[in-house]
Amino acid sequence: MKTEKPRTKRQKIRGIQAALESHRRFDFDYIPFGTYTIPDADFCYHQTGLDAFCTGGIRVGLWLLAPLFLKVAYGLRVVGRKNWKALRGKGAICVTNHISFMDTLFARAAIGQFRGFYTMSPLNNKKGIGGWFMRHAGMWPFSPNLTATKHLLQEMEARLAEGKIVHFYPEQALWTNYQKPRPMKNGAFYYAVKYNVPVLPAFFTFRKDKYGHMRRVVVRLLPPVYADESLPRPARVAKLKADAEAAWRECYENTYGVPLEYLPDRRQKRETP
């Protein structure tokens, strides 16, 4: 009797992603979260004093060391910088696909170590030294706490007015080594309309080696998309999202040379009476 070989971790992940894709659960986070704390009303989004000094030191360290690490580990390069320059130093929302534990570093390489701020789920507000480092590297956790959310939005508005770029993962879930673009959520585009700033779509493409590891990563900065001011706000948000999704899709198809197709839809259809 032939026994099946146990599946590797990477094979298991591919199986999970395939099952989620076929059931159109693109926003499901299958990776367990570590220990975290939900930001409360006293959470400090605007850093001053020693916190600001630590943040500056971490950003300088990343500016010096991250390019070498990314080049050696991933062969990373950035294309489309003219689209970043097209912002002319004004604030913007940046949206990228979420494919690696390290892909915030990919985004930093494209939009600048000193210009970007990075939103994240409250479940990513880790405890310990890792969480401290993330928060002092310009990462902002959302929160169900209304006061904390108010402080976050005040900081976001102020930074955008200064010409900073606020980064979102609009798919709202990490799928490691997944090459296809997934549908986006409204959040990033709601804030782009709210604060009257453009959206800078960027798409990470890569090749895989024989072990399935990510190699030859390219950060592709795409042309900024702007809201249609003639539309009512909900339609403005929807169109902005649709334009960004179309940019991702075109980038994927041009880069990999295949049409964007998902696995057959295996969701159960409700019978109509």
Side-chain angles (χ1 to χ4, degrees), residues 44-61:
C44 182
Y45 289 99
H46 180 72
Q47 295 175 349
T48 58
L50 181 59
D51 285 328
F53 177 81
C54 292
T55 294
I58 289 172
R59 286 185 184 266
V60 169

Side-chain angles (χ1 to χ4, degrees), residues 34-38 123-132 134-135:
T35 56
Y36 60 88
T37 179
I38 299 295
L123 304 182
N124 278 322
N125 187 39
K126 307 296 186 185
K127 294 182 178 180
I129 187 64
W132 180 91
M134 291 169 68
R135 289 185 292 275

Side-chain angles (χ1 to χ4, degrees), residues 10-272:
R10 202 168 295 279
Q11 288 171 330
K12 290 178 182 178
I13 289 173
R14 284 201 297 266
I16 292 170
Q17 291 176 350
L20 292 172
E21 179 181 319
S22 62
H23 286 86
R24 302 305 186 258
R25 294 292 306 278
F26 292 106
D27 60 348
F28 187 86
D29 222 329
Y30 61 85
I31 299 172
F33 290 95
T35 56
Y36 60 88
T37 179
I38 299 295
D40 59 17
D42 296 324
F43 187 90
C44 182
Y45 289 99
H46 180 72
Q47 295 175 349
T48 58
L50 181 59
D51 285 328
F53 177 81
C54 292
T55 294
I58 289 172
R59 286 185 184 266
V60 169
L62 289 171
W63 176 65
L64 292 171
L65 300 176
L68 178 61
F69 166 75
L70 294 173
K71 193 67 176 177
V72 172
Y74 298 100
L76 184 134
R77 62 191 179 93
V78 179
V79 300
R81 290 192 186 276
K82 64 181 181 182
N83 296 315
W84 175 80
K85 292 178 181 178
L87 298 173
R88 300 183 184 277
K90 295 185 178 179
I93 299 290
C94 178
V95 292
T96 68
N97 47 329
H98 199 7
I99 56 167
S100 166
F101 291 101
M102 293 291 176
D103 58 14
T104 301
L105 290 179
F106 303 170
R108 289 173 184 273
I111 62 180
Q113 289 291 352
F114 302 99
R115 194 174 174 188
F117 292 84
Y118 305 85
T119 62
M120 61 182 179
S121 160
L123 304 182
N124 278 322
N125 187 39
K126 307 296 186 185
K127 294 182 178 180
I129 187 64
W132 180 91
F133 185 91
M134 291 169 68
R135 289 185 292 275
H136 285 81
M139 300 192 77
W140 294 339
F142 277 94
S143 174
N145 182 287
L146 294 180
T147 303
T149 298
K150 178 183 175 182
H151 293 162
L152 169 58
L153 298 187
Q154 288 173 340
E155 186 68 4
M156 187 184 301
E157 183 176 18
R159 296 298 186 175
L160 288 170
E162 293 173 357
K164 306 298 185 184
I165 298 177
V166 178
H167 173 270
F168 282 77
Y169 291 118
E171 302 154 323
Q172 291 188 1
L174 167 60
W175 284 22
T176 53
N177 287 27
Y178 185 80
Q179 291 178 313
K180 301 175 188 177
R182 289 175 281 148
M184 303 182 186
K185 299 292 189 178
N186 283 344
F189 308 97
Y190 168 83
Y191 292 116
V193 169
K194 178 180 176 67
Y195 298 122
N196 194 29
V197 295
V199 171
L200 180 67
F203 193 70
F204 305 141
T205 63
F206 58 95
R207 303 296 177 186
K208 297 178 185 178
D209 64 19
K210 63 181 180 180
Y211 304 107
H213 298 145
M214 189 183 298
R215 295 291 183 265
R216 294 168 59 193
V217 175
V218 181
V219 183
R220 301 181 185 274
L221 289 167
L222 308 175
V225 292
Y226 294 82
D228 185 343
E229 298 295 333
S230 67
L231 298 174
R233 177 170 286 196
R236 242 181 292 168
V237 171
K239 186 175 186 306
L240 200 56
K241 182 178 78 167
D243 289 345
E245 287 180 329
W248 272 14
R249 180 179 188 131
E250 182 180 5
C251 180
Y252 169 83
E253 294 179 341
N254 289 341
T255 300
Y256 295 110
V258 294
L260 175 59
E261 293 179 351
Y262 298 119
L263 295 174
D265 190 345
R266 293 174 55 194
R267 291 174 294 182
Q268 292 184 346
K269 309 295 183 189
R270 290 186 179 179
E271 294 184 4
T272 55

